[in-house]
Amino acid sequence: MTIHTEDQLVSFIKETVRSTQVTDIHTHLFAESFGDLLLWGVDELLTYHYLIAETFRFRPELSYDSFWSMSKREQADLIWQTLFIEHSPYSEACRGVVTVLNRLGFDLKTRDLNAYREYFESVSASDYIDRILELAKVKTVVMTNDPFDAYERSKWAENGNTDPRFLAALRIDPLLNLWDSSWSKLAEQGYAVSSDLSGDTMAEIRRFLSDWISRMNPLYMAVSLPNDFAYPENSVRVRIIDECIIPVAREAGIPFAMMIGVKRKVNPSLKDAGDSLGKSDIGAVERIVSKYQDVKFLVTMLSRENQHELAVTARKNRNLLIFGCWWFLNNPSLIEEITRMRLELLGGSIIPQHSDCRILDQLLYKWDHSREIIAKVLCDKYRDLLAAGWRLEEEEIRRDVEDLLGGTFWKFLGKPDPALNR
Ligand code: REL
Ligand code: ZN
């Protein structure tokens, strides 16, 4: 149907963005068969590392050790008291909890955490997964799967993944960032590697990657990289990228995802909450993607300052697909700015957002909040077209939104969206 008025346009876009099912291309969630690796429920929500960092800011007297020696429930109580009762929860991470509780139908007037807890004690993981995916309208969740983690490896050995709504991504941070300590983990798994990369080491790393690709069937291989990531460079990391990651990605026909700009452990006392960010050299991205034009790269960068040049680099290299507003960028003001700029430079050939959820329930807020902004930006873009006399068809807008929320990702992979056959 043709759209004639602005009102019609705005309500159609809002409704379409709200109701379109998403492929969430990067999360830290797991399928039910991974047992307690899947985090869910209000105490997990409250102890999300974003909220831990915010709590310490309001509690100068709180020692790190005393916080870490508390039980999860005690930590959650303290965070609730600090961030939700003694202050108003308007930071994005706090607002997220409010959105989730609201979407689950809790009475927010009572602010009674124990009453909210009761619900989670009565529901099974399996029912809760169904409920959240349905409410969040997320059809496919891409996990982050770490073959260096012994506990996760045991889960792959026991059951693996049997839920088609969850798909794997092979995460290889230790291989590229911590070779000095990770080579022995490969050796323990039976790969003939040595710390100085001599002998069969490179071939054995390739064998390790191929074995895990066969076991997990990942959609891509992924790594987070520090803000001083350089390419090319005379380093173990770059040798492993050139001699192992690239050939294996090419052979398996899967992209290499680079998440660039993290500074790990700037405050180790905060544990997961202690990571930060820094500006990176876009030249490194330019050089690697243009050197390997037959390999696909998914790239996200953590610093706001890198976003414009990353979008321009994508214009020059069709084997580069940029994705998401990662971590410290996942705030309404920045999502809006970045999404607007990307659509202006790249049209729909982007993945505007991923959730990065660590806790299942967060799918509700991360996607609700992002959808609102994506819809707002799209309204402006289509409004400009309407004003310039372009004929707008509902079907075409629906197609474009489906692409932004997953279709572009599947086309880039060269695979049909598996959710279409479920
Ligand atoms: O995948 C990553 O490296 C990051 O997204 C995580 O390490 C980070 O802690 C995450 O919670 C950010 O949202
Ligand atoms: Zn992540």
Side-chain angles (χ1 to χ4, degrees):
M1 212 166 60
T2 308
I3 289 177
H4 296 288
T5 67
E6 265 196 35
D7 284 355
Q8 219 186 325
L9 175 66
V10 168
S11 65
F12 183 76
I13 291 174
K14 284 190 175 161
E15 184 43 36
T16 306
V17 174
R18 207 177 288 139
S19 60
T20 299
Q21 293 276 343
V22 170
T23 300
D24 192 345
I25 82 139
H26 171 60
T27 77
H28 298 264
L29 302 177
F30 288 89
E32 196 193 346
S33 58
F34 291 81
D36 54 7
L37 284 174
L38 172 65
L39 304 181
W40 57 281
V42 71
D43 285 335
E44 296 293 352
L45 260 185
L46 286 169
T47 52
Y48 186 34
H49 67 74
Y50 291 32
L51 296 179
I52 292 176
E54 291 175 32
T55 298
F56 274 107
R57 295 191 54 72
F58 288 120
R59 293 259 176 234
E61 78 293 352
L62 178 66
S63 80
Y64 294 115
D65 286 346
S66 63
F67 179 81
W68 295 119
S69 65
M70 290 175 185
S71 67
K72 180 147 287 183
R73 196 183 169 102
E74 287 166 344
Q75 291 174 348
D77 282 335
L78 177 69
I79 292 171
W80 179 255
Q81 180 62 28
T82 308
L83 298 180
F84 294 78
I85 305 300
E86 292 175 16
H87 301 88
S88 293
Y90 54 69
S91 75
E92 178 60 9
C94 287
R95 174 189 166 221
V97 175
V98 176
T99 299
V100 171
L101 297 175
N102 185 37
R103 287 278 257 123
L104 291 172
F106 292 124
D107 182 356
L108 291 178
K109 285 195 287 297
T110 67
R111 299 187 183 170
D112 182 350
L113 180 54
N114 285 329
Y116 307 150
R117 280 178 173 135
E118 274 170 30
Y119 162 74
F120 293 96
E121 276 149 26
S122 70
V123 69
S124 70
S126 147
D127 288 349
Y128 198 57
I129 294 171
D130 292 349
R131 181 171 185 207
I132 295 292
L133 293 184
E134 206 177 300
L135 279 175
K137 298 207 170 359
V138 172
K139 57 184 172 183
T140 303
V141 171
V142 182
M143 306 179 281
T144 293
N145 302 100
D146 180 1
F148 290 89
D149 182 291
Y151 189 63
E152 184 174 341
R153 276 205 310 276
S154 74
K155 296 292 176 188
W156 282 101
E158 276 164 32
N159 308 305
N161 177 31
T162 49
D163 186 337
R165 295 170 300 180
F166 290 79
L167 298 173
L170 174 55
R171 184 75 177 241
I172 48 172
D173 282 35
L175 189 61
L176 294 180
N177 297 330
L178 296 166
W179 175 251
D180 283 350
S181 54
S182 59
W183 73 270
S184 56
K185 295 191 180 166
L186 286 195
E188 278 161 25
Q189 290 183 52
Y191 297 92
V193 294
S194 50
S195 60
D196 62 0
L197 305 181
S198 61
D200 288 339
T201 300
M202 291 305 180
E204 286 291 274
I205 295 175
R206 289 193 292 272
R207 186 166 72 87
F208 163 79
L209 294 170
S210 302
D211 287 350
W212 279 102
I213 288 172
S214 313
R215 197 161 303 145
M216 292 176 174
N217 191 22
L219 296 176
Y220 56 81
M221 278 186 280
V223 67
S224 74
L225 292 163
N227 66 301
D228 58 3
F229 169 60
Y231 187 93
E233 181 189 55
N234 183 12
S235 64
V236 170
R237 174 190 290 129
V238 165
R239 270 200 68 191
I240 298 177
I241 290 178
D242 283 338
E243 295 177 42
C244 306
I245 309 299
I246 296 294
V248 170
R250 187 185 286 124
E251 164 84 24
I254 57 175
F256 178 35
M258 300 190 294
M259 307 172 69
I260 308 170
V262 60
K263 270 191 206 164
R264 295 282 177 198
K265 296 196 175 21
V266 301
N267 180 353
S269 303
L270 282 170
K271 300 194 180 176
D272 275 351
D275 298 340
S276 190
L277 85 172
K279 288 189 280 290
S280 303
D281 173 19
I282 192 69
V285 179
E286 273 169 2
R287 288 185 286 273
I288 191 168
V289 302
S290 58
K291 178 169 176 189
Y292 298 114
Q293 292 184 26
D294 59 341
V295 173
K296 294 169 190 168
F297 294 86
L298 287 158
V299 175
T300 195
M301 294 179 91
L302 194 48
S303 131
R304 179 188 189 185
E305 287 75 6
N306 283 123
Q307 300 310 316
H308 181 243
E309 52 197 15
L310 177 61
V312 174
T313 303
R315 290 178 67 86
K316 312 296 154 196
N317 298 278
R318 61 187 166 171
N319 58 330
L320 165 57
L321 181 60
I322 63 181
F323 72 97
C325 300
W326 182 24
W327 202 343
F328 307 110
L329 297 172
N330 197 354
N331 295 311
S333 59
L334 296 175
I335 300 171
E336 179 167 343
E337 163 187 302
I338 294 167
T339 305
R340 200 174 283 282
M341 184 264 296
R342 287 174 174 171
L343 293 183
E344 286 165 5
L345 277 167
L346 295 161
S349 67
I350 60 161
I351 301 172
Q353 192 55 305
H354 65 268
S355 77
D356 230 318
C357 287
R358 283 180 175 263
I359 296 122
L360 180 69
D361 325 39
Q362 293 172 333
L363 285 171
L364 292 175
Y365 94 78
K366 301 250 188 189
W367 281 108
D368 272 20
H369 296 187
S370 290
R371 282 182 204 264
E372 198 182 310
I373 300 162
I374 293 167
K376 181 177 175 195
V377 176
L378 284 177
C379 283
D380 289 348
K381 295 297 144 208
Y382 286 106
R383 202 184 277 119
D384 291 345
L385 290 176
L386 191 66
W390 187 251
R391 177 167 53 84
L392 291 179
E393 296 292 340
E394 289 184 350
E395 264 321 297
E396 292 171 349
I397 295 178
R398 191 173 293 120
R399 168 203 64 198
D400 298 348
V401 171
E402 279 171 4
D403 280 346
L404 287 172
L405 296 182
T408 300
F409 173 64
W410 290 106
K411 286 175 202 161
F412 184 71
L413 296 187
K415 295 180 172 152
D417 178 349
L420 300 176
N421 299 319
R422 290 206 295 261

